[in-house]
Amino acid sequence: MNPPLRLALCAVLLSFSSLWTACGDAGPLPGAPDDTPLSDACQVDQDCPDPGLFFCDTVTSTCKAACKTQEDCTAAKRGQYRLAECDGSALGCRCDSNRCVVAQCSADAECAAAGQVCRNGGCGPAPEASAVTACRVTPDFVVARAGTLARFSVLAMDAAGRAVVVPSGAAWTALDESVAVEGGGTGVESAFVLSAATEGARESVRAQVGGATCTARVSVLGAAVAPGRLRAVVKDELTGRPIAGAEVVVADAAGAVTATATTDASGVVTLAAPAEAGSVSVFHEDFGYLTVAHEGAAGPRDLALPLRRNPTDRYGGYKGTFRNMPVSADMHTGLAGLSAPDAVTDVSASLLAGPVREVAFTMGGQAREATLPAGAYVVLPGSTLAVTDVSAQGLAGVCGAAPEGSESAEEAMAAGACGTRTAWALGGDIPLNALPLLSGGTMDVGQLLARTIPLLRTFSSSVVRDVEFRLKETPPEPDTGVPDFRDQAHFVTVDHDFKEDQRMGLGFQFAVRVPALPSYRGYMDSAAVMGAVRVPGRGLVPLGLGMGVNTNPADHNTDTQAGLPGPGLVSVRMAPAHHGLEGSPYELMITAASSAASSDGTAGAASSALIHRTLQKLPFDPKGSTPVLVGGPFLPVPEGARYNYNRVAGGGLEGRQLRFLGAPELPAATVLRAVFTNRPERRWEVLMDVARAGTGVRLPLPPEGFEDRTYYGDTVGSRSPMGVQALEVRRTGTSAGAAVNLHGLVEADGVDLEHLGELAVAWSALEYGRPLVTWLEPVEDGQSVAKGSKVKVRVLGFRVGSGIADEGYVRLTFAGGTGCEPVDGYVVEGRGEVELQLPAACTGAGVQLNATLVDTEGVVLSPPVTSQRTLTIH
């Protein structure tokens, strides 16, 4: 649940940080008066024409324009060494890391005084509406009940398919009586009231930009639901299309099914409403299952239940390279990806990372190896390393044209065979002597990335807003059965061009005031900031990054960073919205994370995030004088969740009951979300309000023919991993908005689950994983050990101990031998290691030792979690 950008960039930098050595560079001297040629080579500042206006860049051994304040970049201060690029810019130059660089804009308001708009980071004339030849309304399909409000946006393109942002937006029109425009009906966004029920979907909303028109279809459901009945509309979360053939199941408090029905072609079903507290569940083979805790007569009777497709059933995306990267002796590196639907709900871990690559190369006459994600670009001068092809995978969604193999775009969307997202990349040069060498041992990844953030001054952003791609069925790997994503022949080709007029520098440096860090087995030890824009219909596009660590001291604040006045401040580098992203709202996601799981196998991956959405423009404040203030606090980690995988009671839980052993300390309106993920990464999502955490919900058995995704799907019938998330949701998506509880999210009133990513202002998560036990010592079968000696196992995903928060312990039993009585082990050392002492009287050849997890009452977990070792005990 951490931002994928942080993890992938860590992988790239960590792979190569130990390889960096010093290098040199040369270039023209800036600001030479009257074009007089001057030598730009230098060893010290005094070798430059004016040490007060230049400094010697020891990395490149060249003179660079220097500054301490913005005034140092002006013609009045520099005189004969004035900078033409600063004089020719409407925004002038700013002093960035003691260098004069052309200032960027990030919003139209910054250019309004000159009667211009901000495009691609600079002020200029507004694009003409006549340049628009095509447009797309998003969402382009809406199913909702009469009396609710639906919001639409428009994206425009020119004749070459390039994104165009016209300041006046569009003229919006209602095409029939089923909808009515709310407000003026102009701009890039518009709201419509759904006023009258329809038979099926109609083209009811139209936007006109210049000479281009585009429409959206709307299906309006009647507002009335008969007494004693419950209506549910089930739709594809990422296309808005109705899902036919979904099984909707109503269950009582014991998990027994009281009503069931199948959605029709419009995705709607009506069935008996629950008479008491229980649940409503939706099952479809091609989508994630969804269960919503329901309060019976006190709960809503008109539900909107969006489902997301199984993320790995099909795969597709784009492939390409980085063009026109800087030419120097430095390391050229970067990361590419596709925009994500949101930063709250999970996408597949394997989908985010894509296939990793094992790269062999030589450097300094030595053979080396590195593991890189699919989106990594790395060229290392002085070596044979040149990984220039990148790729990224995206989720199924909407498309405008029928992809190969489909009769129409609608057919492709119904099959999950196409999608449209924004391709993004961050790339640039890293001087080889800019970071200290790693001379053996390991370095904390968070510390490494925190040191790297200042170097992102040399990085640029590249985006291609509208990338349509095809998805095909994912084949399994022959040996393991896991999804095989290696064949990319069907990926669309998109290159990222880093020439000057196509890229956008990460020209905004500012500080974020991070609220007090939450705890999980000690204070969380890092905080990542992802800067992004949310593009309608495309999702979140990363534009920048910041990173702080919490190690010295380990307390509630991030450590003081170089150049910032104190602890709790994190420096961020970010590009403005550009190349068709202009006007999209900026977001900062601040994620605190714990590394406890890396040192303790019984710990889960814990994180907590705040989402800041009130930035109208990006600040430039490298010293952190006026940091961006983020509302808090972070949500506590949702510890204490338990699920009984069996139908019968056990371990203090009823059959198939999901609940918290202790009420989590969370705000009253918080929504709790548990997700089970089986081996093919198909999911079952369960939602409840925090007020119900102590009683929980009992999951119904899936209808006949549907797999139970709470089980992993392997041959031994083991448990699926479970993750739990707490969500704070507010109606405007800001901390000032009215709180929304679970009923408000599932009630079909326009503020629905499909908008969760836009409405959540905070979340916290704990990946509980699934319990496993493995042998450490002895390392293999057939070995001989002395009676009374110690053996050792490792426990993962299971909290060993006898305390109230613990889940149980390890029991060692024996098959064969004499005098071999069972042994229990509680002590956890280091990485979840448990030592067990063999009985002093236990001897024999071919004795089978069974290490089995049991609950706090000594009952073997079901399904069992065990591991065997066969030994001779003498």
Side-chain angles (χ1 to χ4, degrees), residues 15-16 19 358-361 367-371:
S15 296
F16 297 101
L19 308 178
E358 302 294 333
V359 181
F361 63 100
R368 300 176 182 266
E369 292 184 353
T371 301

Side-chain angles (χ1 to χ4, degrees), residues 37 71 74 141 254 282 340 359 388 398 605 660 668 695 712-713 719 742 833 845:
E71 183 186 5
T74 63
F141 200 112
V282 187
V359 181
T388 59
V398 299
F660 283 77
T695 57
Y712 198 53
R719 305 175 176 195
L742 179 59
E833 297 175 1

Side-chain angles (χ1 to χ4, degrees), residues 3-14 17 430 435 443-456 526-529 545-549 561 571:
L5 177 65
R6 173 196 172 204
L7 301 180
L9 188 54
C10 280
V12 176
L13 296 174
L14 192 58
S17 58
I430 295 182
L435 286 180
M443 175 180 283
D444 180 84
V445 173
Q447 291 188 16
L448 175 64
L449 190 55
R451 294 186 185 187
T452 309
I453 295 303
L455 300 179
L456 294 183
S526 67
V529 181
L545 185 67
M547 182 72 196
V549 295
Q561 296 186 343
S571 182

Side-chain angles (χ1 to χ4, degrees), residues 59 67 72 92 101 109 146 225 292 299 325 368 370 382 397 439 469 485 560 580 726-727 731-732 773 779 803 816 860:
V59 173
C67 58
D72 294 338
V101 297
V225 178
V292 176
M325 287 285 280
R368 300 176 182 266
S439 54
F469 50 90
F485 301 120
T560 301
L727 295 152
R731 189 162 289 267
T732 63
V773 58
V779 296
V860 174

Side-chain angles (χ1 to χ4, degrees), residues 623-640:
K623 295 182 179 180
S625 302
T626 310
V628 176
L629 301 179
V630 177
F634 285 100
L635 291 179
V637 173
E639 296 187 78

Side-chain angles (χ1 to χ4, degrees), residues 588-669:
L588 298 176
M589 184 167 73
I590 301 91
T591 305
S594 167
S595 63
S598 65
S599 59
D600 184 350
T602 68
S607 56
S608 185
L610 298 168
I611 303 173
H612 183 74
R613 296 192 177 95
T614 60
L615 280 181
Q616 301 301 314
K617 62 180 183 178
L618 300 181
F620 182 77
D621 180 24
K623 295 182 179 180
S625 302
T626 310
V628 176
L629 301 179
V630 177
F634 285 100
L635 291 179
V637 173
E639 296 187 78
R642 299 288 188 272
Y643 176 65
N644 180 3
Y645 289 75
N646 302 294
R647 300 187 196 183
V648 297
L653 299 173
E654 300 297 326
R656 297 181 66 81
Q657 184 182 29
L658 170 68
R659 73 178 182 90
F660 283 77
L661 297 186
E665 297 180 2
L666 293 164

Side-chain angles (χ1 to χ4, degrees), residues 115-319:
Q116 297 179 323
V117 296
C118 181
R119 293 294 179 271
N120 300 330
C123 294
E128 296 290 339
S130 59
V132 177
T133 61
C135 62
R136 181 82 59 84
V137 174
T138 180
D140 67 343
F141 200 112
V142 170
V143 181
R145 75 181 183 196
T148 60
L149 199 68
R151 299 184 182 277
F152 300 88
S153 300
V154 65
L155 301 175
M157 291 73 74
D158 64 15
R162 293 185 297 258
V164 180
V165 180
V166 179
S168 59
W172 296 87
T173 307
L175 298 179
D176 60 39
E177 71 283 354
S178 66
V179 300
V181 180
E182 178 85 357
T186 60
V188 295
E189 296 183 348
S190 186
F192 286 74
V193 176
L194 310 189
S195 50
T198 62
E199 291 291 334
R202 302 178 183 177
E203 288 192 352
S204 301
V205 171
R206 182 178 68 194
Q208 181 173 354
V209 187
T213 60
C214 42
T215 60
R217 287 187 287 166
V218 180
S219 176
V220 184
L221 307 176
V225 178
R229 306 292 287 173
L230 178 144
R231 180 175 67 187
V233 54
V234 181
K235 47 190 172 180
D236 184 331
E237 177 189 352
L238 299 183
T239 70
R241 269 69 178 171
I243 300 175
E247 294 288 329
V248 179
V249 172
V250 176
D252 62 18
V257 175
T258 61
T260 183
T262 304
T263 56
D264 59 19
S266 62
V268 177
V269 65
T270 302
L271 67 173
E276 59 180 27
S279 64
V280 178
S281 301
V282 187
F283 300 89
H284 194 287
E285 183 180 2
D286 298 333
F287 294 81
Y289 302 163
L290 175 64
T291 293
V292 176
H294 197 278
E295 302 308 316
R301 293 188 299 110
D302 197 9
L303 306 182
L305 302 175
L307 306 182
R308 184 172 292 188
R309 285 192 175 275
N310 298 329
T312 61
D313 286 3
R314 288 177 174 265
Y315 78 108
Y318 81 97
K319 59 186 177 181

